[in-house]
């Protein structure tokens, strides 16, 4: 589903991005945020099937785990806000991909 989240161990992050003060990962804009327990994460990708949060640097959930969260984001012109449930599909490269458990929007 999210095959662009593949990890390549030989790839290094560019040193110029570290010095410039821009966020790593190309400086992509956040589409909103997701709150899991008391932690808040930025949404990098969002669609009707699921989402990717980046950076994900906590050990709250593991691959295959179902979890509940609160979302506050914009999908194009649509405001997405509320509580839902998802399943973690992959954690790699400092990002977490999850699929909604039921139709959310």
């Amino acid at each position: 589903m999210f095959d662009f989240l593949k990890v390549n161990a030989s790839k290094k992050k560019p040193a110029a991005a570290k010095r410039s003060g821009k966020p790593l990962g190309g400086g992509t804009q956040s589409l909103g945020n997701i709150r899991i327990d008391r932690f808040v994460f930025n949404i990098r990708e969002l669609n009707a099937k699921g989402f990717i949060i980046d950076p994900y640097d906590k050990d709250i959930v593991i691959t295959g785990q179902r979890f509940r969260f609160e979302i506050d984001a914009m999908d194009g012109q649509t405001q997405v806000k509320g509580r839902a449930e998802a399943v973690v599909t992959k954690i790699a490269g400092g990002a977490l991909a999850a699929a909604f458990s039921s139709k959310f929007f």
Side-chain angles (χ1 to χ4, degrees):
M1 177 165 63
F2 296 109
D3 49 15
F4 53 85
L5 189 59
K6 293 181 181 175
V7 176
N8 187 350
S10 64
K11 272 190 173 177
K12 286 188 170 182
K13 299 202 187 291
K18 291 180 185 175
R19 286 191 300 265
S20 67
K22 293 181 181 176
L24 296 176
T28 56
Q29 294 292 331
S30 174
L31 300 176
N33 61 53
I34 287 186
R35 182 180 178 145
I36 305 170
D37 293 333
R38 65 177 191 259
F39 302 101
V40 178
F41 301 98
N42 290 322
I43 301 172
R44 183 176 80 189
E45 297 284 331
L46 176 66
N47 61 38
K49 293 183 180 183
F51 57 86
I52 295 177
I53 54 177
D54 183 22
Y56 177 73
D57 56 355
K58 305 288 183 207
D59 290 329
I60 307 169
V61 293
I62 60 172
T63 303
Q65 182 177 349
R66 185 177 295 244
F67 66 99
R68 292 176 188 233
F69 62 93
E70 292 180 28
I71 186 170
D72 185 7
M74 288 296 291
D75 180 40
Q77 298 296 324
T78 308
Q79 172 84 23
V80 181
K81 190 170 186 172
R83 295 180 183 176
E85 190 172 279
V87 176
V88 178
T89 56
K90 188 171 190 176
I91 300 173
L96 178 142
F100 294 118
S101 298
S102 60
K103 187 174 179 180
F104 185 65
F105 65 97

